[in-house]
Amino acid sequence: MKPCMRLRATRKNISYGGNVMPCTTILVGKDASYNGSTLIARNDDSGSGHFTAKKFVVVEAGDQPRHYKSVISHVEVELPDDPMRYTATPNATKDEGGIWAAAGVNEENISMTATETITSNERVLGADPLVELVEAVKDADDKEITPEKAGGIGEEDIVILVLPYIHSAREGVIRLGSLLEKYGTYEMNGIAFADVNEVWWLETIGGHHWIARRVEDDHYVVMPNQFGMDRFDMNDAYGDKKENLCSADLRDFIEKNHLDLAIGDNEGWINPRDIFGSHSDADHVYNTPRAWFMERYLNPREYMWDGEDADYTPESDNIPWTLEPEKKITVEDVKYVLSSHYQGTEFDPYGTTGDASKHGKYRSIGVNRTSFLALTEIRPDVPEDHRAIEWIAFGSNVFNAFVPFYTNVSGMPEYMSCTTGQVSTDSFYWANRLIGVLADASYKKSINHIERYQENVQKKGREIIAKYDAAQETVGAGDREALRMKANQEIADMIRKETDYTLDKVLLESSNQMKNQYSRSDA
């Protein structure tokens, strides 16, 4: 080596936290939903200080790559030759690299959402480190001394690697689990899968391990950026595998690294949240309050949620992962809880009563930097070719509208799919971002316009879906897709009209509250 030769080892400043997408997820089993559908929904939130533009598209089988390389981790994966068509909600620009397909439904009505960033602890990450990209070491002459070491798979990649190839929710768990074991991951994530009968939830553990559980049919699950599962049947996971699945060596991994903190014989049951998760002070501001609000709304009478005698508070570490709701859960319920800013409590950042020091104390579920909300509804009483509906909202959920689309189509309307990095009211994403900013600035004056907007769009969306569900019963299979495409365009035209109208209203309200206003008209 030459004297004083400088070695360069560059490593991407990803931090495996810098690109973290803080999100909130709710999963609903078929017997807990209003119409027997499985429901999985997730807010996809941009990291602090930036906003990720999104679009809603269809990926045809011919456009799915056969060789995949991750932009973030540089991992390369060979893919099967038989992908299916699927919907996706990718980034509209390449600012963060990669596609980030995020959520969708394939042509066999299997849905997934990926990912919910979750927490871990030092004992787990020390025992099974995350698989991070390490770039090549080069000398001063740019000659490679040590080759690059690729990282694992992550949020950028998971939908593309899994959704086009799975034929059931369980199969999604198994495929993703095998990819995690082979390639590892550079981050902690939770991923949901659903088909017409089942909902499954998978959580990653360290770099290569994973755990998954079937959501009970009459239960719902809440996930607020924290390791979630609080009960897991190891005997089933290593036996019949009916409700519980995990990486093959998970039991040995736990025992070898002394991870189980339970006292006494747990008869094959473990608490994954205690073993693999976190209980930090930050959780009590950022994560647990979200679980508290969602369950407080869906199970208001079963537990005491407020006051000195509360069973659970916003800072409780033991809020249940899954509960049986007190009434059947609707799409509207899901939208409401995933739009929450703790309305009706003293923690509402828009609140005007109570202790002002508590307003905005906890991180809201519906934050300013939500990129999109997607809910997939797999309906059991509808023919397979139009069974799946995907509900989409863009921008801050407090102020946006939720709209349904058929997924088994060859493309999405331009209003949903045309998003670019340029602000334009021709895009549903940007129009809703503008509405949110303006309505937030004039909250008291604008909230009535927002409520009308949200109600009108969901009502009219349901009307259009019902009309075209009926229309498809009168034609042959070959003509049904054309009807679904027509329905989606009719929905897009409707929401554009409603969105433009609402934008005009909140623009006027905010304009009238500008600091340079003056009450007297010029003479």
Side-chain angles (χ1 to χ4, degrees), residues 24 26 43 290 293-295 297-298 332-341 343 365-366:
T24 310
I26 183 168
N43 288 349
R290 286 183 270 165
F293 184 88
M294 289 188 281
E295 294 188 6
Y297 176 79
L298 295 169
E332 288 73 19
D333 289 328
V334 172
K335 176 64 167 68
Y336 182 83
V337 297
L338 292 183
S339 302
S340 162
H341 46 94
Q343 55 269 43
I365 299 173

Side-chain angles (χ1 to χ4, degrees), residues 357-417:
S357 67
K358 294 184 178 180
H359 297 167
K361 179 180 179 180
Y362 300 123
R363 188 264 200 205
S364 294
I365 299 173
V367 291
N368 62 328
R369 49 191 163 80
T370 298
S371 301
F372 76 89
L373 161 60
L375 179 152
T376 56
E377 180 179 10
I378 314 299
R379 304 176 295 169
D381 56 348
V382 175
E384 289 188 14
D385 62 359
H386 56 287
R387 171 167 288 169
I389 296 291
E390 190 164 3
W391 293 76
I392 293 288
F394 288 132
S396 178
N397 286 344
V398 180
F399 306 106
N400 64 17
F402 209 22
V403 287
F405 290 93
Y406 289 110
T407 61
N408 193 9
V409 292
S410 58
M412 287 296 165
E414 185 176 1
Y415 191 51
M416 305 300 296
S417 62

